[in-house]
Amino acid sequence: MSRWHERQQKDIYIKKRASMGYRSRASFKLEQLNQRYHLIKNGSVVVELGSAPGGWSQVLSRLNPRGVNIACDLLTMDPVARVDFIQGDFLEKSVQVKMAEILNGQQISLLLSDLAPNLTGNRVVDQARCYDLCDNVLGFGHLHLVEGGALLIKVFHGQGFDDFLKTIRVDFKQVHVLKPDASRSESREVYILGIGFVKRN
Ligand SMILES: C[S@@+](CC[C@H](N)C(=O)[O-])C[C@H]1O[C@@H](n2cnc3c(N)ncnc32)[C@H](O)[C@@H]1O
C-alpha cells in the first residue's frame, strides 16, 4: 500500500465526510472554526471566495438558511441550495462587480476566503500569488464589509505572512491565527480571523 493510501485510510475526515455528504474535507475546517467563534449567524450576509467543490457552501446553506450566501470560484461548482454561485476569477473587476450587484447595497457581515492559487512549485512565485489574492480579498472587504464584520482568510506561512498579518491587525479589533484540527498538519496553510472590522473612510 502506498504512503498516500495509508494516509488517506488513516484520515478520519475522509470517512466522516462521506457519512455527512460533504463535498470536501474543507467543510470540517469551517465547522470547527465556527464552533469556536460563532461566525455564521442565521440571517446574515456571507460572501465566500474559493468555493469549489462546495464544502463551505454546504455549511453556509445549513447554518445560514435565512441569510444571503454568495460564493465564487474559477471552477464550476454543482449548485448548493440557498447559495448564489458566480463562476469567474475573483481578481477580475467584472466578477467583483457581479458580486456587488447580488449584494445590492447590503454590507457583508462575514467574508470568507479559502482561495488557493494553482501552485507552480516555485515557492517565491506561489507566495506572491497567494498574497496577491489576499490583498484583493482585503480590498474587497474594505468596500463591502459592515462595521464590526469579520474576515476569515486562508494564508500560507512564509514570505509575506508577517506583513499581511500586520495589515489585518490595523483593520480588525481582534485577530487570531488559527490552524483547525481538520487542516493537515504538514500543510503550511493557516487561517487568519479578523473580528470587529473598523471601517475607515
Ligand atoms: C482549497 S479550494 C476551496 C475549497 C472550498 N472552500 C470547499 O469548501 O470545498 C481553493 C479554490 O480556490 C479557487 N481559486 C483560486 N484562485 C481563484 C481566483 N482567482 N478566483 C476564484 N477562485 C479561485 C480554486 O479554483 C479552488 O477551487
Side-chain angles (χ1 to χ4, degrees):
M1 190 187 285
S2 71
R3 281 185 60 192
W4 184 86
H5 279 106
E6 218 170 75
R7 197 185 65 174
Q8 293 291 91
Q9 272 214 335
K10 277 190 197 149
D11 191 338
I12 50 160
Y13 289 108
I14 304 273
K15 289 181 197 139
K16 210 168 155 194
R17 196 190 96 185
S19 73
M20 303 272 296
Y22 282 147
R23 294 180 190 175
S24 68
R25 170 198 175 98
S27 299
F28 298 110
K29 300 181 199 171
L30 183 59
E31 278 192 344
Q32 285 167 4
L33 295 174
N34 188 53
Q35 265 161 22
R36 190 158 156 202
Y37 292 98
H38 311 289
L39 301 171
I40 306 167
K41 303 200 171 55
N42 195 5
S44 58
V45 179
V46 183
V47 168
E48 184 207 348
L49 306 169
S51 59
W56 284 21
S57 297
Q58 289 177 296
V59 175
L60 292 177
S61 174
R62 189 167 62 78
L63 299 181
N64 189 26
R66 285 193 285 109
V68 174
N69 301 300
I70 304 170
C72 164
D73 204 290
L74 274 173
L75 304 176
T76 180
M77 183 173 103
D78 286 340
V80 175
R82 299 176 289 276
V83 176
D84 272 313
F85 175 65
I86 297 167
Q87 185 179 1
D89 183 346
F90 169 70
L91 297 177
E92 298 269 334
K93 184 143 201 303
S94 60
V95 171
Q96 297 192 17
V97 167
K98 253 190 217 164
M99 281 193 277
E101 279 169 8
I102 299 179
L103 283 169
N104 195 21
Q106 298 175 95
Q107 291 189 303
I108 301 171
S109 28
L110 176 62
L111 178 58
L112 301 171
S113 170
D114 202 21
L115 289 168
N118 280 332
L119 298 180
T120 62
N122 178 324
R123 201 79 181 256
V124 177
V125 173
D126 290 342
Q127 282 296 110
R129 284 193 184 168
C130 162
Y131 286 101
D132 185 33
L133 285 170
C134 290
D135 288 341
N136 272 275
V137 173
L138 198 55
F140 187 75
H142 286 161
L143 292 177
H144 298 288
L145 264 175
V146 71
E147 177 87 30
L151 166 72
L152 176 68
I153 183 167
K154 173 156 75 186
V155 298
F156 293 91
H157 261 303
Q159 181 77 30
F161 175 81
D162 290 339
D163 286 343
F164 187 67
L165 188 59
K166 264 188 214 154
T167 315
I168 297 269
R169 287 198 198 283
V170 173
D171 287 332
F172 293 86
K173 288 187 181 154
Q174 264 184 58
V175 176
H176 305 275
V177 178
L178 304 162
K179 177 88 177 164
D181 200 41
S183 171
R184 290 198 169 92
S185 53
E186 68 271 26
S187 156
R188 287 185 302 117
E189 77 173 16
V190 289
Y191 290 84
I192 298 180
L193 172 62
I195 297 173
F197 178 62
V198 181
K199 237 183 185 351
R200 287 167 223 283
N201 295 317

